[in-house]
Each structure stands twice: as structure tokens, then as C-alpha cells.
Amino acid sequence: MATLLTAEQQAYGRSLLTKFDQLEGFVPGEGSRNPVLVMVSEAPGRTEARVGHPFQGPAGIELDRWLTQLDLTRAQVYLTGAVRSRPYRVGKSGQKRDRRPSRVEVEASAPLLDAELAELKGRLLVPLGNTGLQRLLGSKFKISAVHGQLLKLPVRCWNAGQGRFETTATTYPIFPLYHPSYSKRFKKFLPVVNRDLEVLADYLQESRLN
């Protein structure tokens, strides 16, 4: 499966490993160049950082279940994220543990997602969890409030000259979901996720008919 990032853009992404102390690995987005939908996650985990591909650990198993429920395969979607390297912290035991990416890490990584979205204008965006959602729409949006709903909004892109995010002229259909790792860890959310997937499947079916 292909990535939409150029060699130069990938080199920029890898350069962030020297800028930030607690990042490791590099995982470019990958999937179809003509995807049914674009899934925007938080950041790679340990397994993804090691193998260099998105959603390879337990969350990947859950994601594949979701795609099956949507009658899709990985070859029909594009998988990407707010940050492309694994953010970690060192615990008391000395082992690396996953953590949420910082604001500056998300901002530094923003040109990579911006480049991909510029190639995928108007595609259905599916942010997974709060970090993916807030990267696209800002901190006032919470996954607990908007999951399973179809939104039609511009998204945020990074203005390097101004050092801040601004919104795109293009409006995207956006369907937020909880992150697969969340429903994998907290089984009580499975019925909620499954209902959201049913709504998304109905939307995709209607889109195919139209």
C-alpha cells in the first residue's frame, strides 16, 4: 500500500526524531490513493514504531474488525495520524510507555497531515479519539460529545509563517469514532462503537448508491 508523502516530506518527519527527545520510529500514512475514507489517529504505538506501519498491534486487530463491519479492507482506506512517531515516557521501571503527544509535537507534525489532506480534498475523514479529532477541528471538540455523528466542517491546517493553525477553505465530511484501543481496553464501550459503525456503514452505503 502506498503513502501520499513524498521522500522529502518523509525526511522532514524523521528529522523530528532529533528535535524531540521522547519520540521513536517513523510511520508514514499508508493505504489507497483513492480511499473511501481517511482515518486520522493519534500516533504510533510501540509495535507500529518498530515495524513502520500503522495499526499493527492489538488496536490493529480491532481496526480490522471495524473495517470488516464496514465491508472495507485496508486497501480501500487511508490510515494516518496527528503525529508519525511514537511518543513515550520512561517509567519508574526504566521501560518506555506510550503517552499522548504534546501540543508542540502535533504542531511540528502538522505539515505531514496537511500534505495528505491536500491530496484527498473532500474525502470522508474519520478521526479516531480526541487527539485525531482535535488536530482536525480544535480543542473545543470532544470525542465523547460528537462520536457517531456526521459533521461537515473545514479542518485546521498549519500556517508556518504565522506559527498557528488556521482553517481550510475546503469543507470535509467528518465522522468521529472512539479510538480502537479504547474499545479494545474498555469492553463497556463496544455497544457504543458498534452502533456508531452501523451509522457509518449506512452513510457509506447511501454514498455508494448516490
Side-chain angles (χ1 to χ4, degrees):
M1 287 183 282
T3 180
L4 294 173
L5 296 178
T6 66
E8 182 179 1
Q9 288 163 345
Q10 291 182 60
Y12 168 76
R14 291 188 177 91
S15 75
L16 299 180
L17 294 170
T18 61
K19 181 175 181 179
F20 298 102
D21 290 335
Q22 293 186 323
L23 290 179
E24 66 177 3
F26 178 73
V27 182
E30 70 175 32
S32 172
R33 291 184 175 274
N34 185 31
V36 174
L37 54 83
V38 180
M39 290 182 155
V40 182
S41 187
E42 178 176 280
R46 178 179 60 185
T47 304
E48 290 83 4
R50 178 172 55 82
V51 302
H53 297 285
F55 284 101
Q56 297 298 304
I61 296 172
E62 181 71 350
L63 178 74
D64 288 337
R65 182 185 74 82
W66 291 12
L67 292 176
T68 299
Q69 192 167 334
L70 295 170
D71 196 25
L72 295 172
T73 67
R74 290 193 183 215
Q76 294 173 286
V77 303
Y78 193 83
L79 302 176
T80 185
V83 171
R84 307 310 169 87
S85 297
R86 178 199 181 193
Y88 67 88
R89 59 181 176 82
V90 179
K92 293 181 180 179
S93 65
Q95 293 186 333
K96 296 176 180 177
R97 298 186 179 277
D98 293 341
R99 62 170 173 82
R100 182 172 294 182
S102 68
R103 176 184 58 81
V104 291
E105 288 167 345
V106 171
E107 290 174 353
S109 304
L112 302 177
L113 183 57
D114 290 345
E116 290 168 327
L117 295 184
E119 296 290 325
L120 299 167
K121 285 183 178 178
R123 299 289 179 181
L124 173 63
L125 305 182
V126 180
L128 303 174
N130 266 325
T131 301
L133 175 68
Q134 292 173 0
R135 162 60 179 88
L136 293 175
L137 299 180
S139 59
K140 69 179 181 179
F141 287 85
K142 308 293 184 185
I143 196 70
S144 59
V146 298
H147 69 89
Q149 301 175 39
L150 181 65
L151 312 173
K152 293 188 178 181
L153 296 167
V155 300
R156 301 197 308 163
C157 62
W158 185 249
N159 185 322
Q162 297 292 324
R164 60 180 173 82
F165 281 107
E166 55 188 31
T167 55
T168 59
T170 302
T171 297
Y172 292 81
I174 302 169
F175 193 95
L177 293 172
Y178 282 104
H179 194 281
S181 65
Y182 200 71
S183 63
K184 189 76 173 175
R185 284 172 20 222
F186 302 105
K187 300 300 184 184
K188 68 179 182 180
F189 280 95
L190 273 176
V192 175
V193 169
N194 286 335
R195 284 196 298 271
D196 289 351
L197 291 172
E198 289 173 5
V199 175
L200 178 55
D202 288 344
Y203 172 75
L204 293 175
Q205 181 63 23
E206 290 175 8
S207 298
R208 292 186 184 109
L209 293 176
N210 296 332

